[in-house]
PDB file of all heavy atoms in Angstrom:
ATOM      1  N   ALA A  76     112.859 110.251 121.276  1.00  0.00           N
ATOM      2  CA  ALA A  76     111.594 109.450 121.394  1.00  0.00           C
ATOM      3  C   ALA A  76     111.939 108.077 121.892  1.00  0.00           C
ATOM      4  O   ALA A  76     111.293 107.477 122.716  1.00  0.00           O
ATOM      5  CB  ALA A  76     110.880 109.452 120.124  1.00  0.00           C
ATOM      6  N   LEU A  77     112.982 107.488 121.255  1.00  0.00           N
ATOM      7  CA  LEU A  77     113.375 106.109 121.667  1.00  0.00           C
ATOM      8  C   LEU A  77     113.881 106.071 123.124  1.00  0.00           C
ATOM      9  O   LEU A  77     113.574 105.151 123.814  1.00  0.00           O
ATOM     10  CB  LEU A  77     114.448 105.556 120.728  1.00  0.00           C
ATOM     11  CG  LEU A  77     114.020 105.243 119.316  1.00  0.00           C
ATOM     12  CD1 LEU A  77     115.206 104.898 118.431  1.00  0.00           C
ATOM     13  CD2 LEU A  77     113.009 104.060 119.341  1.00  0.00           C
ATOM     14  N   ALA A  78     114.565 107.113 123.533  1.00  0.00           N
ATOM     15  CA  ALA A  78     115.070 107.176 124.861  1.00  0.00           C
ATOM     16  C   ALA A  78     113.895 107.278 125.821  1.00  0.00           C
ATOM     17  O   ALA A  78     113.965 106.636 126.931  1.00  0.00           O
ATOM     18  CB  ALA A  78     116.048 108.352 125.060  1.00  0.00           C
ATOM     19  N   ILE A  79     112.945 108.026 125.564  1.00  0.00           N
ATOM     20  CA  ILE A  79     111.808 108.178 126.425  1.00  0.00           C
ATOM     21  C   ILE A  79     111.019 106.882 126.486  1.00  0.00           C
ATOM     22  O   ILE A  79     110.694 106.454 127.631  1.00  0.00           O
ATOM     23  CB  ILE A  79     110.834 109.314 125.880  1.00  0.00           C
ATOM     24  CG1 ILE A  79     111.509 110.717 126.043  1.00  0.00           C
ATOM     25  CG2 ILE A  79     109.509 109.296 126.526  1.00  0.00           C
ATOM     26  CD1 ILE A  79     110.829 111.855 125.373  1.00  0.00           C
ATOM     27  N   ARG A  80     110.821 106.239 125.405  1.00  0.00           N
ATOM     28  CA  ARG A  80     110.138 104.985 125.370  1.00  0.00           C
ATOM     29  C   ARG A  80     110.915 103.916 126.264  1.00  0.00           C
ATOM     30  O   ARG A  80     110.324 103.182 127.052  1.00  0.00           O
ATOM     31  CB  ARG A  80     109.973 104.446 123.967  1.00  0.00           C
ATOM     32  CG  ARG A  80     109.135 103.217 123.915  1.00  0.00           C
ATOM     33  CD  ARG A  80     108.590 102.900 122.585  1.00  0.00           C
ATOM     34  NE  ARG A  80     107.735 101.728 122.646  1.00  0.00           N
ATOM     35  CZ  ARG A  80     107.239 101.164 121.653  1.00  0.00           C
ATOM     36  NH1 ARG A  80     107.446 101.627 120.437  1.00  0.00           N
ATOM     37  NH2 ARG A  80     106.481 100.059 121.739  1.00  0.00           N
ATOM     38  N   LYS A  81     112.249 103.953 126.049  1.00  0.00           N
ATOM     39  CA  LYS A  81     113.055 102.928 126.817  1.00  0.00           C
ATOM     40  C   LYS A  81     113.005 103.328 128.337  1.00  0.00           C
ATOM     41  O   LYS A  81     112.863 102.419 129.196  1.00  0.00           O
ATOM     42  CB  LYS A  81     114.508 102.997 126.356  1.00  0.00           C
ATOM     43  CG  LYS A  81     115.360 101.904 126.856  1.00  0.00           C
ATOM     44  CD  LYS A  81     116.652 101.923 126.154  1.00  0.00           C
ATOM     45  CE  LYS A  81     117.549 100.688 126.541  1.00  0.00           C
ATOM     46  NZ  LYS A  81     118.801 100.704 125.952  1.00  0.00           N
ATOM     47  N   ALA A  82     113.065 104.585 128.650  1.00  0.00           N
ATOM     48  CA  ALA A  82     112.991 105.038 130.065  1.00  0.00           C
ATOM     49  C   ALA A  82     111.642 104.607 130.705  1.00  0.00           C
ATOM     50  O   ALA A  82     111.625 104.397 131.945  1.00  0.00           O
ATOM     51  CB  ALA A  82     113.225 106.546 130.157  1.00  0.00           C
ATOM     52  N   ASN A  83     110.623 104.657 129.942  1.00  0.00           N
ATOM     53  CA  ASN A  83     109.249 104.231 130.477  1.00  0.00           C
ATOM     54  C   ASN A  83     109.046 102.752 130.454  1.00  0.00           C
ATOM     55  O   ASN A  83     107.915 102.288 130.683  1.00  0.00           O
ATOM     56  CB  ASN A  83     108.180 104.947 129.657  1.00  0.00           C
ATOM     57  CG  ASN A  83     108.183 106.412 129.854  1.00  0.00           C
ATOM     58  OD1 ASN A  83     108.621 106.946 130.858  1.00  0.00           O
ATOM     59  ND2 ASN A  83     107.629 107.206 128.888  1.00  0.00           N
ATOM     60  N   GLY A  84     110.080 101.989 130.157  1.00  0.00           N
ATOM     61  CA  GLY A  84     110.028 100.467 130.214  1.00  0.00           C
ATOM     62  C   GLY A  84     109.555  99.875 128.924  1.00  0.00           C
ATOM     63  O   GLY A  84     109.311  98.661 128.867  1.00  0.00           O
ATOM     64  N   GLY A  85     109.356 100.690 127.940  1.00  0.00           N
ATOM     65  CA  GLY A  85     108.953 100.149 126.564  1.00  0.00           C
ATOM     66  C   GLY A  85     110.051  99.364 125.956  1.00  0.00           C
ATOM     67  O   GLY A  85     111.248  99.595 126.106  1.00  0.00           O
ATOM     68  N   LYS A  86     109.687  98.284 125.277  1.00  0.00           N
ATOM     69  CA  LYS A  86     110.647  97.556 124.452  1.00  0.00           C
ATOM     70  C   LYS A  86     110.822  98.107 123.124  1.00  0.00           C
ATOM     71  O   LYS A  86     109.858  98.554 122.496  1.00  0.00           O
ATOM     72  CB  LYS A  86     110.144  96.154 124.407  1.00  0.00           C
ATOM     73  CG  LYS A  86     110.113  95.433 125.692  1.00  0.00           C
ATOM     74  CD  LYS A  86     110.383  93.914 125.535  1.00  0.00           C
ATOM     75  CE  LYS A  86     110.478  93.385 126.940  1.00  0.00           C
ATOM     76  NZ  LYS A  86     111.227  92.189 126.993  1.00  0.00           N
ATOM     77  N   LEU A  87     112.092  98.153 122.635  1.00  0.00           N
ATOM     78  CA  LEU A  87     112.397  98.696 121.304  1.00  0.00           C
ATOM     79  C   LEU A  87     112.609  97.470 120.411  1.00  0.00           C
ATOM     80  O   LEU A  87     113.205  96.443 120.805  1.00  0.00           O
ATOM     81  CB  LEU A  87     113.659  99.549 121.426  1.00  0.00           C
ATOM     82  CG  LEU A  87     113.635 100.732 122.409  1.00  0.00           C
ATOM     83  CD1 LEU A  87     114.891 101.421 122.400  1.00  0.00           C
ATOM     84  CD2 LEU A  87     112.436 101.559 122.031  1.00  0.00           C
ATOM     85  N   GLY A  88     112.158  97.668 119.116  1.00  0.00           N
ATOM     86  CA  GLY A  88     112.350  96.528 118.147  1.00  0.00           C
ATOM     87  C   GLY A  88     111.237  95.506 118.424  1.00  0.00           C
ATOM     88  O   GLY A  88     110.310  95.726 119.159  1.00  0.00           O
ATOM     89  N   ASN A  89     111.436  94.446 117.678  1.00  0.00           N
ATOM     90  CA  ASN A  89     110.439  93.332 117.770  1.00  0.00           C
ATOM     91  C   ASN A  89     111.327  92.096 117.973  1.00  0.00           C
ATOM     92  O   ASN A  89     111.527  91.304 117.018  1.00  0.00           O
ATOM     93  CB  ASN A  89     109.700  93.294 116.490  1.00  0.00           C
ATOM     94  CG  ASN A  89     108.532  92.213 116.602  1.00  0.00           C
ATOM     95  OD1 ASN A  89     108.420  91.509 117.542  1.00  0.00           O
ATOM     96  ND2 ASN A  89     107.736  92.145 115.562  1.00  0.00           N
ATOM     97  N   PRO A  90     111.622  91.817 119.233  1.00  0.00           N
ATOM     98  CA  PRO A  90     112.447  90.583 119.475  1.00  0.00           C
ATOM     99  C   PRO A  90     111.684  89.257 119.227  1.00  0.00           C
ATOM    100  O   PRO A  90     112.330  88.247 119.220  1.00  0.00           O
ATOM    101  CB  PRO A  90     112.851  90.723 120.956  1.00  0.00           C
ATOM    102  CG  PRO A  90     111.771  91.588 121.511  1.00  0.00           C
ATOM    103  CD  PRO A  90     111.330  92.440 120.418  1.00  0.00           C
ATOM    104  N   THR A  91     110.392  89.298 119.086  1.00  0.00           N
ATOM    105  CA  THR A  91     109.662  87.984 118.925  1.00  0.00           C
ATOM    106  C   THR A  91     109.878  87.370 117.626  1.00  0.00           C
ATOM    107  O   THR A  91     109.798  86.207 117.482  1.00  0.00           O
ATOM    108  CB  THR A  91     108.135  88.260 119.123  1.00  0.00           C
ATOM    109  OG1 THR A  91     107.701  89.233 118.123  1.00  0.00           O
ATOM    110  CG2 THR A  91     107.805  88.795 120.491  1.00  0.00           C
ATOM    111  N   ASN A  92     110.227  88.150 116.600  1.00  0.00           N
ATOM    112  CA  ASN A  92     110.386  87.566 115.284  1.00  0.00           C
ATOM    113  C   ASN A  92     111.799  87.710 114.710  1.00  0.00           C
ATOM    114  O   ASN A  92     111.986  87.510 113.514  1.00  0.00           O
ATOM    115  CB  ASN A  92     109.349  88.073 114.219  1.00  0.00           C
ATOM    116  CG  ASN A  92     109.668  89.491 113.809  1.00  0.00           C
ATOM    117  OD1 ASN A  92     110.497  90.203 114.421  1.00  0.00           O
ATOM    118  ND2 ASN A  92     109.045  89.938 112.796  1.00  0.00           N
ATOM    119  N   ILE A  93     112.688  88.088 115.485  1.00  0.00           N
ATOM    120  CA  ILE A  93     114.071  88.306 115.007  1.00  0.00           C
ATOM    121  C   ILE A  93     114.701  87.067 114.361  1.00  0.00           C
ATOM    122  O   ILE A  93     115.372  87.135 113.332  1.00  0.00           O
ATOM    123  CB  ILE A  93     114.934  89.020 116.134  1.00  0.00           C
ATOM    124  CG1 ILE A  93     116.236  89.594 115.406  1.00  0.00           C
ATOM    125  CG2 ILE A  93     115.456  87.992 117.056  1.00  0.00           C
ATOM    126  CD1 ILE A  93     116.865  90.662 116.306  1.00  0.00           C
ATOM    127  N   ARG A  94     114.492  85.957 114.960  1.00  0.00           N
ATOM    128  CA  ARG A  94     115.095  84.741 114.369  1.00  0.00           C
ATOM    129  C   ARG A  94     114.414  84.343 113.153  1.00  0.00           C
ATOM    130  O   ARG A  94     115.120  84.091 112.082  1.00  0.00           O
ATOM    131  CB  ARG A  94     114.893  83.565 115.403  1.00  0.00           C
ATOM    132  CG  ARG A  94     115.579  82.284 114.981  1.00  0.00           C
ATOM    133  CD  ARG A  94     115.351  81.063 115.965  1.00  0.00           C
ATOM    134  NE  ARG A  94     113.933  80.839 116.182  1.00  0.00           N
ATOM    135  CZ  ARG A  94     113.136  80.193 115.300  1.00  0.00           C
ATOM    136  NH1 ARG A  94     113.594  79.762 114.190  1.00  0.00           N
ATOM    137  NH2 ARG A  94     111.895  79.997 115.614  1.00  0.00           N
ATOM    138  N   ILE A  95     113.083  84.494 113.003  1.00  0.00           N
ATOM    139  CA  ILE A  95     112.388  84.210 111.831  1.00  0.00           C
ATOM    140  C   ILE A  95     112.696  85.146 110.707  1.00  0.00           C
ATOM    141  O   ILE A  95     112.892  84.791 109.607  1.00  0.00           O
ATOM    142  CB  ILE A  95     110.868  84.167 112.089  1.00  0.00           C
ATOM    143  CG1 ILE A  95     110.478  83.069 113.128  1.00  0.00           C
ATOM    144  CG2 ILE A  95     110.018  84.112 110.886  1.00  0.00           C
ATOM    145  CD1 ILE A  95     109.095  83.219 113.699  1.00  0.00           C
ATOM    146  N   ALA A  96     112.704  86.419 111.061  1.00  0.00           N
ATOM    147  CA  ALA A  96     113.144  87.482 110.064  1.00  0.00           C
ATOM    148  C   ALA A  96     114.501  87.225 109.542  1.00  0.00           C
ATOM    149  O   ALA A  96     114.799  87.406 108.305  1.00  0.00           O
ATOM    150  CB  ALA A  96     113.067  88.861 110.705  1.00  0.00           C
ATOM    151  N   GLY A  97     115.459  86.808 110.368  1.00  0.00           N
ATOM    152  CA  GLY A  97     116.849  86.506 109.947  1.00  0.00           C
ATOM    153  C   GLY A  97     116.851  85.281 108.973  1.00  0.00           C
ATOM    154  O   GLY A  97     117.557  85.318 107.971  1.00  0.00           O
ATOM    155  N   GLU A  98     116.046  84.298 109.336  1.00  0.00           N
ATOM    156  CA  GLU A  98     116.062  83.147 108.442  1.00  0.00           C
ATOM    157  C   GLU A  98     115.395  83.533 107.085  1.00  0.00           C
ATOM    158  O   GLU A  98     115.907  83.031 106.034  1.00  0.00           O
ATOM    159  CB  GLU A  98     115.197  82.011 109.123  1.00  0.00           C
ATOM    160  CG  GLU A  98     115.855  81.384 110.311  1.00  0.00           C
ATOM    161  CD  GLU A  98     114.977  80.388 111.027  1.00  0.00           C
ATOM    162  OE1 GLU A  98     113.850  80.060 110.536  1.00  0.00           O
ATOM    163  OE2 GLU A  98     115.370  79.958 112.120  1.00  0.00           O
ATOM    164  N   ILE A  99     114.355  84.344 107.117  1.00  0.00           N
ATOM    165  CA  ILE A  99     113.748  84.755 105.861  1.00  0.00           C
ATOM    166  C   ILE A  99     114.788  85.550 105.001  1.00  0.00           C
ATOM    167  O   ILE A  99     114.793  85.281 103.759  1.00  0.00           O
ATOM    168  CB  ILE A  99     112.492  85.501 106.074  1.00  0.00           C
ATOM    169  CG1 ILE A  99     111.386  84.655 106.739  1.00  0.00           C
ATOM    170  CG2 ILE A  99     111.969  86.250 104.808  1.00  0.00           C
ATOM    171  CD1 ILE A  99     110.137  85.410 107.226  1.00  0.00           C
ATOM    172  N   GLY A 100     115.499  86.414 105.660  1.00  0.00           N
ATOM    173  CA  GLY A 100     116.480  87.205 104.964  1.00  0.00           C
ATOM    174  C   GLY A 100     117.545  86.332 104.372  1.00  0.00           C
ATOM    175  O   GLY A 100     117.955  86.519 103.229  1.00  0.00           O
ATOM    176  N   ARG A 101     118.118  85.444 105.153  1.00  0.00           N
ATOM    177  CA  ARG A 101     119.174  84.546 104.654  1.00  0.00           C
ATOM    178  C   ARG A 101     118.641  83.658 103.506  1.00  0.00           C
ATOM    179  O   ARG A 101     119.330  83.522 102.507  1.00  0.00           O
ATOM    180  CB  ARG A 101     119.690  83.650 105.821  1.00  0.00           C
ATOM    181  CG  ARG A 101     120.702  84.365 106.654  1.00  0.00           C
ATOM    182  CD  ARG A 101     121.274  83.420 107.660  1.00  0.00           C
ATOM    183  NE  ARG A 101     120.366  82.922 108.661  1.00  0.00           N
ATOM    184  CZ  ARG A 101     119.934  83.623 109.693  1.00  0.00           C
ATOM    185  NH1 ARG A 101     120.315  84.833 109.906  1.00  0.00           N
ATOM    186  NH2 ARG A 101     119.016  83.088 110.534  1.00  0.00           N
ATOM    187  N   THR A 102     117.430  83.138 103.632  1.00  0.00           N
ATOM    188  CA  THR A 102     116.882  82.301 102.584  1.00  0.00           C
ATOM    189  C   THR A 102     116.748  83.099 101.322  1.00  0.00           C
ATOM    190  O   THR A 102     117.005  82.630 100.206  1.00  0.00           O
ATOM    191  CB  THR A 102     115.429  81.752 103.025  1.00  0.00           C
ATOM    192  OG1 THR A 102     115.669  80.974 104.236  1.00  0.00           O
ATOM    193  CG2 THR A 102     114.881  80.868 101.893  1.00  0.00           C
ATOM    194  N   SER A 103     116.273  84.321 101.426  1.00  0.00           N
ATOM    195  CA  SER A 103     116.038  85.215 100.271  1.00  0.00           C
ATOM    196  C   SER A 103     117.473  85.478  99.546  1.00  0.00           C
ATOM    197  O   SER A 103     117.559  85.415  98.310  1.00  0.00           O
ATOM    198  CB  SER A 103     115.409  86.515 100.692  1.00  0.00           C
ATOM    199  OG  SER A 103     115.390  87.395  99.591  1.00  0.00           O
ATOM    200  N   LEU A 104     118.495  85.749 100.289  1.00  0.00           N
ATOM    201  CA  LEU A 104     119.815  86.026  99.731  1.00  0.00           C
ATOM    202  C   LEU A 104     120.323  84.827  99.088  1.00  0.00           C
ATOM    203  O   LEU A 104     120.895  84.884  97.992  1.00  0.00           O
ATOM    204  CB  LEU A 104     120.737  86.434 100.905  1.00  0.00           C
ATOM    205  CG  LEU A 104     120.607  87.849 101.396  1.00  0.00           C
ATOM    206  CD1 LEU A 104     121.536  88.123 102.516  1.00  0.00           C
ATOM    207  CD2 LEU A 104     120.850  88.910 100.316  1.00  0.00           C
ATOM    208  N   ILE A 105     120.171  83.614  99.673  1.00  0.00           N
ATOM    209  CA  ILE A 105     120.625  82.300  99.103  1.00  0.00           C
ATOM    210  C   ILE A 105     119.859  82.130  97.777  1.00  0.00           C
ATOM    211  O   ILE A 105     120.500  81.788  96.761  1.00  0.00           O
ATOM    212  CB  ILE A 105     120.509  81.236 100.100  1.00  0.00           C
ATOM    213  CG1 ILE A 105     121.475  81.410 101.201  1.00  0.00           C
ATOM    214  CG2 ILE A 105     120.696  79.907  99.440  1.00  0.00           C
ATOM    215  CD1 ILE A 105     121.320  80.482 102.452  1.00  0.00           C
ATOM    216  N   GLU A 106     118.574  82.317  97.777  1.00  0.00           N
ATOM    217  CA  GLU A 106     117.811  82.152  96.497  1.00  0.00           C
ATOM    218  C   GLU A 106     118.251  83.095  95.400  1.00  0.00           C
ATOM    219  O   GLU A 106     118.308  82.684  94.311  1.00  0.00           O
ATOM    220  CB  GLU A 106     116.323  82.307  96.789  1.00  0.00           C
ATOM    221  CG  GLU A 106     115.762  81.090  97.620  1.00  0.00           C
ATOM    222  CD  GLU A 106     114.282  81.318  97.981  1.00  0.00           C
ATOM    223  OE1 GLU A 106     113.662  82.327  97.519  1.00  0.00           O
ATOM    224  OE2 GLU A 106     113.777  80.450  98.731  1.00  0.00           O
ATOM    225  N   THR A 107     118.420  84.289  95.821  1.00  0.00           N
ATOM    226  CA  THR A 107     118.853  85.381  94.818  1.00  0.00           C
ATOM    227  C   THR A 107     120.195  85.002  94.182  1.00  0.00           C
ATOM    228  O   THR A 107     120.369  85.066  92.982  1.00  0.00           O
ATOM    229  CB  THR A 107     118.946  86.726  95.495  1.00  0.00           C
ATOM    230  OG1 THR A 107     117.602  87.063  95.936  1.00  0.00           O
ATOM    231  CG2 THR A 107     119.365  87.767  94.482  1.00  0.00           C
ATOM    232  N   ALA A 108     121.125  84.599  95.105  1.00  0.00           N
ATOM    233  CA  ALA A 108     122.494  84.203  94.640  1.00  0.00           C
ATOM    234  C   ALA A 108     122.396  82.969  93.760  1.00  0.00           C
ATOM    235  O   ALA A 108     123.097  82.877  92.782  1.00  0.00           O
ATOM    236  CB  ALA A 108     123.376  83.966  95.794  1.00  0.00           C
ATOM    237  N   GLY A 109     121.557  82.017  94.162  1.00  0.00           N
ATOM    238  CA  GLY A 109     121.322  80.793  93.335  1.00  0.00           C
ATOM    239  C   GLY A 109     120.789  81.065  91.967  1.00  0.00           C
ATOM    240  O   GLY A 109     121.173  80.617  90.939  1.00  0.00           O
TER     241      GLY A 109
END
C-alpha cells in the first residue's frame, strides 16, 4: 500500500510537523529524566 501511494505521487509520513514532534519528544524525555 505504501509503495502504491508513493508511486502515485503521494507523500508518506507527515514532514510538516517532524521538527515540532521531535522537540516535543525530547522535551518529554528530559522532563521524565528530571
Side-chain angles (χ1 to χ4, degrees):
L77 290 172
I79 290 169
R80 183 160 186 191
K81 191 173 185 178
N83 291 335
K86 294 210 174 207
L87 304 179
N89 186 356
T91 59
N92 74 346
I93 197 161
R94 185 183 57 76
I95 295 167
E98 288 174 10
I99 291 170
R101 280 185 293 283
T102 301
S103 175
L104 286 175
I105 290 168
E106 287 175 6
T107 301

